Amino acid sequence: MKILLLGKDGQVGWELQRSLAPLGELVALGSRSESPCGDLGRLDALRATVAAIRPAVIVNAGAYTAVDKAESEPERAHLLNAQAPGVLAEAARDCGALLVHYSTDYVFDGSGTHRWKEGDATGALSVYGRTKLEGERLIVRTHPRHLVFRTSWVYAARGGNFAKTMLRLARERDTLTVVDDQFGAPTGAELLADVTAHAVRACLADPARCGLYHLAAAGETSWHGYARFVLEQALALGVELRAGPDAVRPVPASSFPTAAMRPSNSRLDTSKLQAAFGLVLPPWQQGVSRMLTEALT
Ligand code: NDP
C-alpha cells in the first residue's frame, strides 16, 4: 500500500514520517520536493503527483501556518489552505484514496467557555482561520473518504516551541508576562501522528469511520498556566532558573496586539473521536512533561 505524505518537514509531518512508516510504502514530500512535486501551491503539479503515485492514502500535513502574516498574504494563504486541499480531495476521489487533513480551532470565534463540538457553528476571526475552514469544507463536500482533524496549540520536540521559549526567558529574566485569557490544550505532534496512524488503519478497514473529528490532548490551560507548568517541571528536573513559576505574571491578550485575532476559547470536545476509534487522549501535561524531559536530561 502506498501512502503519500505532504508537508513532511513540519511539526506534524516530521512525526508522521515515523508513525506512518509501518503502515505501507511511504512517499514523503516537502514543499521543495520537485519530482514528484510536493508544493501545495502548484495545483496542476499536485494533481499530477497524485495521479502518478496513485496512493491508497494521502496525508496532508502541509499548510500556510503563519497566522499573522496571512493577514497581509490572504491569496497565498487561500491557495495553500483552501485551494490545495480542494485539489487533493478531487485527486483522492479520482484514485480512490483516503484523504487525511488537519484543520484548526481557529475556525471558531472563541466565544464562551464550553468545549467546541464538530457540529458547532464556525466563525473564524482571521484570514488563517477562514482559509482553513474553506479547505476543510472543500474536502468534506468533495470526497466522503476523508479524515479531517481539527487540533489546537500544536508543539513538537524538534525545533523551537512555546515551552522552550519560556525556559530560555526564565533563564535570562527575573519575570515573564504571559497571556492568561486564552484557553486550550497543548497538543503534541507525536500524539497527532500516532492517532492519525490508528485512525487511518481503522478507516481503511471500515470507511464508515471517516469524517471530521476534534483531536487534542485532554484537559485545558491558559498560556499562563502552560508557562507555569513548564517552569515547575524544569525546576523538578534540576534546571536553574532566574524566574520560577511564581514570577510568571498573567496579562490579557490585549497586552500583546497581533495582526490576526485569536480565539479566547480553543477548548475542543474530543468525545466523538475517542468513541469512534476506541482511543484515550492523554492529559496535555503528559506530552509536555515528556518533551521537557527529553529536552532537558
Ligand atoms: P508547521 O508550520 O510546523 O509545518 C507546516 C508545513 O507546511 C511545513 O513543513 C511547510 O514546509 C509546509 N508548507 C508550507 N508551504 C508549503 C507548500 N507550498 N507546499 C507544501 N508544503 C508547504 O505546521 P504544523 O505541523 O504545526 O501544522 C500541521 C497542520 O496542523 C496544519 O494543517 C496546521 O494548519 C494545523 N494546525 C496547527 C496548529 C499549530 O498550533 N501549529 C494548530 C491547529 C492546527 P516548509 O517549511 O518547507 O515551507
Side-chain angles (χ1 to χ4, degrees), residues 6-16 29-33 37-42 46 60-67 76 79-81 84 101-106 128 132 149-156 158 187 189 192 215 223 268:
L6 297 156
K8 72 178 177 72
D9 298 316
Q11 300 192 92
V12 178
W14 179 254
E15 291 297 332
L16 284 165
L29 304 179
S31 60
R32 282 172 289 279
S33 302
C37 174
D39 184 350
L40 294 171
R42 293 171 55 198
L46 201 57
N60 177 32
Y64 186 109
T65 54
V67 173
R76 181 80 184 154
L79 175 65
L80 301 187
N81 291 347
H101 180 75
Y102 300 89
S103 188
T104 168
D105 55 291
Y106 282 31
Y128 171 75
K132 292 294 291 183
F149 296 119
R150 285 188 189 139
T151 188
S152 68
W153 293 23
V154 177
Y155 66 88
R158 181 169 172 257
T187 300
L192 291 171
L215 167 51
W223 294 104
L268 296 177

Side-chain angles (χ1 to χ4, degrees), residues 137-212:
R137 282 185 174 155
L138 283 170
I139 291 173
V140 170
R141 195 187 304 151
T142 307
H143 184 42
R145 285 191 69 211
H146 62 259
L147 276 169
V148 175
F149 296 119
R150 285 188 189 139
T151 188
S152 68
W153 293 23
V154 177
Y155 66 88
R158 181 169 172 257
N161 62 38
F162 174 82
K164 289 182 188 174
T165 304
M166 291 302 112
L167 284 174
R168 179 176 52 78
L169 294 176
R171 283 172 166 137
E172 293 169 3
R173 299 181 186 177
D174 296 323
T175 57
L176 277 63
T177 49
V178 183
V179 168
D180 77 336
D181 57 358
Q182 291 172 344
F183 298 88
T187 300
E190 270 184 356
L191 177 66
L192 291 171
D194 291 344
V195 169
T196 298
H198 282 289
V200 163
R201 276 178 68 88
C203 284
L204 290 174
D206 176 11
R209 296 197 211 180
C210 290
L212 185 150

